[in-house]
Amino acid sequence: MATYKGIKGQTVSSQASDPASADDAGLLYYNTASGTFKVVLDGGAPIGAWSTGGSMATGRTEIGSAGSQTNALAMGGNMPSPAWSALTEQYNGTAWAEVATLNTPRRASGGLGTGSAALCLGAGEAPDFASHVEEWNGTGWTTVASLPAVRGYTPCGSGSVTAGLCFGGSTTPNHATLLVEKWNGTGWTEVANVNTARRFATGCGTASATLFIGGDPGPEQLVEEYNGTSWTEKTDTNNPHAYVGSSGTTTTATIYGDSYDSPTSQKTEGWNGSSWTEVAEYSQEHGSAGTTRTSASAAAYFAGYGAGVPPGNKGGSCEEWSYADYAVQTVTTS
């Protein structure tokens, strides 16, 4: 049987701060700053939690979104009034601030990119679908080449303003689409279709390596992966997810949000490249909300139906997700 002495040595080391890597799993050490003995535990699956972030200035739902936990963008949306909004807010990890408005009001649009360089994709609910696209440069919006086909009911976006992907959503009333279009920085080209049409789904990754997760009309647990050429079905999520958010890559991702049949579900799942693991639930309903997309370990989920107000209303609360594949625990004696 292996012993601590055989694995880590005879002495207990002293460290000024806690380790920041799962590579130290099993290490017992003395933290000189806190004056306590600690041990690094291997999480096996993501260890994470949700915490309260800064509330948006204006509550809404059906938001286009992009960015990271410390630089997020909320584009347009469905407000109590008007139903189609051009309002844009930016998040710095602490607070939201209104910035330059979109050129065209929109709701149920898609988004991709960062908080400093993003695209807002399509818009609408039947029969008012749109194909227009706007690009954000960190200070203002510019109308760029439209999608080849109208796209509403929250299309998914992944990638960047120089290499992006638009998929999911609807091109005709009450029907999800198989259509996928790729952006090269100046124009759009149709590429391989997804295998199963879905709207109100979520996606994350790059233009050549993307996950397409959940959605309506279902099956809401379905996951597909794009490799730059074609789409392949992957392991289903453990729970149904539609009207949801996700962040990360094809090898490490997090999905969070409601399902069509369970609109108050707060299920969160982590992806390791081959399977899904349930992790901590968030605290409030966020149906058709905004989401950051760049990191599976640090994400924000904001506004939407519920979101700090009675279910069915349009709130502005924000929750932040963080996880690691290890945990540090203080050693106690009794």
Side-chain angles (χ1 to χ4, degrees):
M1 178 179 177
T3 64
Y4 181 85
K5 179 180 177 181
I7 297 171
K8 295 294 183 182
Q10 185 169 357
T11 60
V12 175
S13 65
S14 293
Q15 300 196 31
S17 61
D18 294 332
S21 169
D23 293 340
D24 291 306
L27 176 67
L28 177 67
Y29 63 98
Y30 181 75
N31 185 304
T32 56
S34 63
T36 56
F37 287 98
K38 295 187 175 183
V39 63
V40 181
L41 303 178
D42 183 356
I47 301 169
W50 288 93
S51 60
T52 301
S55 291
M56 295 179 66
T58 304
R60 49 204 149 125
T61 186
E62 298 177 346
I63 305 170
S65 55
S68 68
Q69 191 183 82
T70 56
N71 187 10
L73 209 60
M75 324 168 202
N78 177 3
M79 296 165 51
S81 180
W84 292 63
S85 172
L87 183 64
T88 305
E89 293 186 49
Q90 192 164 23
Y91 188 54
N92 64 6
T94 303
W96 291 89
E98 291 187 16
V99 291
T101 58
L102 290 157
N103 295 307
T104 304
R106 59 182 81 200
R107 61 187 284 190
S109 58
L112 63 82
T114 70
S116 301
L119 294 182
C120 189
L121 311 169
E125 295 195 351
D128 299 315
F129 292 151
S131 61
H132 43 255
V133 177
E134 295 184 44
E135 181 175 340
W136 170 255
N137 65 3
T139 58
W141 292 96
T142 302
T143 301
V144 293
S146 294
L147 292 159
V150 294
R151 188 81 69 118
Y153 286 146
T154 317
C156 299
S158 62
S160 70
V161 296
T162 57
L165 211 61
C166 182
F167 48 100
S170 293
T171 56
T172 57
N174 302 317
H175 291 88
T177 183
L178 297 168
L179 188 63
V180 180
E181 292 158 335
K182 192 170 186 177
W183 172 255
N184 64 5
T186 58
W188 296 93
T189 303
E190 289 188 23
V191 292
N193 288 348
V194 296
N195 295 300
T196 303
R198 286 166 282 156
R199 58 187 183 174
F200 301 113
T202 186
C204 59
T206 68
S208 58
T210 287
L211 292 180
F212 181 31
I213 312 166
D216 169 57
E220 295 177 1
Q221 293 169 257
L222 186 63
V223 179
E224 295 185 46
E225 181 179 332
Y226 182 62
N227 63 5
T229 303
S230 60
W231 295 86
T232 304
E233 288 191 17
K234 308 297 286 188
T235 306
D236 287 355
T237 58
N238 296 294
N239 302 282
H241 295 276
Y243 306 88
V244 291
S246 64
S247 54
T249 68
T250 55
T251 56
T252 307
T254 305
I255 181 173
Y256 31 86
D258 300 346
S259 74
Y260 184 79
D261 296 322
S262 301
T264 57
S265 168
Q266 283 98 39
K267 298 291 187 182
T268 305
E269 300 187 45
W271 170 253
N272 64 6
S274 60
S275 62
W276 295 92
T277 302
E278 285 192 36
V279 289
E281 296 185 6
Y282 57 92
S283 63
Q284 298 175 339
E285 179 188 356
H286 289 275
S288 291
T291 177
T292 58
R293 305 179 189 280
T294 55
S295 172
S297 60
Y301 198 34
F302 41 92
Y305 289 113
V309 297
N313 291 283
K314 302 170 180 69
S317 71
C318 172
E319 296 188 59
E320 296 184 358
W321 168 253
S322 60
Y323 82 53
D325 54 1
Y326 70 100
V328 174
Q329 182 173 304
T330 300
V331 176
T332 59
T333 58
S334 58

